[in-house]
Amino acid sequence: MTTQIPGYKAGTWTIDPTHSDVSFTVRHMVVSKVRGFFRKFEGTLVTGESPEQSSVTATVYLDSIDTNQEQRDAHIRSADFFEVDTYPTMTYQSTAVRADGSDWIVDGELTLKGVTRQVPLKLELNGFGPDAYGGYRAGFSAKAEIDRKDFNVNFHATLETGGLVVSDKVTIALEIEAILDKAEG
């Protein structure tokens, strides 16, 4: 299977935060979407001899939220949303990697506000190859959708028209570049 992915290497990789981003999109006041980023995160990927033998662990520091509006960011850090004083991080631990036609799915557990739920990530392999510094890199894009209430993020404000100020549905998007630390074999 590894020969079907050009440049694929088994090994241990570290997420490069300067060339990666962790973001989310949520509908706001029914009429628009707000995008936010987490500016501080870290993670390790282990690619197996075959992609199905791979795994990922990641930590996102919730106080690093950036929606381009400091008042909103402070509100999201509060007990209404993330309660970062009690729950400073969100974590992801994969449980399996599987092919889904020409795509890939990373099954895993997302933990937020002390609640752990299964959250599959739809994964796009962007490529593997040498970098300009004598190293080796891999690139991935991934998306998932969660219901924030499943993680006790229960802020509930309604508009006069009955719509929610903040939708329950949240789309998570990852653009990840990882650096090979140690090749296997």
Side-chain angles (χ1 to χ4, degrees), residues 2 8 10 46-56 96-98 104:
T2 59
Y8 181 90
V46 177
T47 48
E49 287 301 318
S50 73
E52 294 87 351
Q53 297 169 327
S54 300
S55 64
V56 61
V97 176
R98 58 189 165 90
W104 292 91

Side-chain angles (χ1 to χ4, degrees), residues 95-147:
T95 56
V97 176
R98 58 189 165 90
D100 182 30
S102 62
D103 295 320
W104 292 91
I105 303 293
V106 177
D107 292 312
E109 297 178 337
L110 179 69
T111 301
L112 175 61
K113 285 190 75 173
V115 177
T116 301
R117 298 263 189 254
Q118 286 290 323
V119 174
L121 296 170
K122 185 173 181 177
L123 183 71
E124 178 184 348
L125 300 175
N126 296 330
F128 293 83
D131 64 22
Y133 312 104
Y136 206 76
R137 294 185 180 245
F140 308 90
S141 298
K143 284 196 173 188
E145 190 174 282
I146 64 170
D147 184 325

Side-chain angles (χ1 to χ4, degrees), residues 59-63 84 86-91 111-114:
T59 300
V60 174
Y61 296 89
L62 297 173
D63 64 351
V84 298
T86 304
Y87 305 102
T89 62
M90 171 174 53
T91 61
T111 301
L112 175 61
K113 285 190 75 173

Side-chain angles (χ1 to χ4, degrees), residues 9-23:
K9 286 189 180 188
T12 302
W13 309 71
T14 298
I15 292 174
D16 177 359
T18 60
H19 294 102
S20 301
D21 73 56
V22 175
S23 65

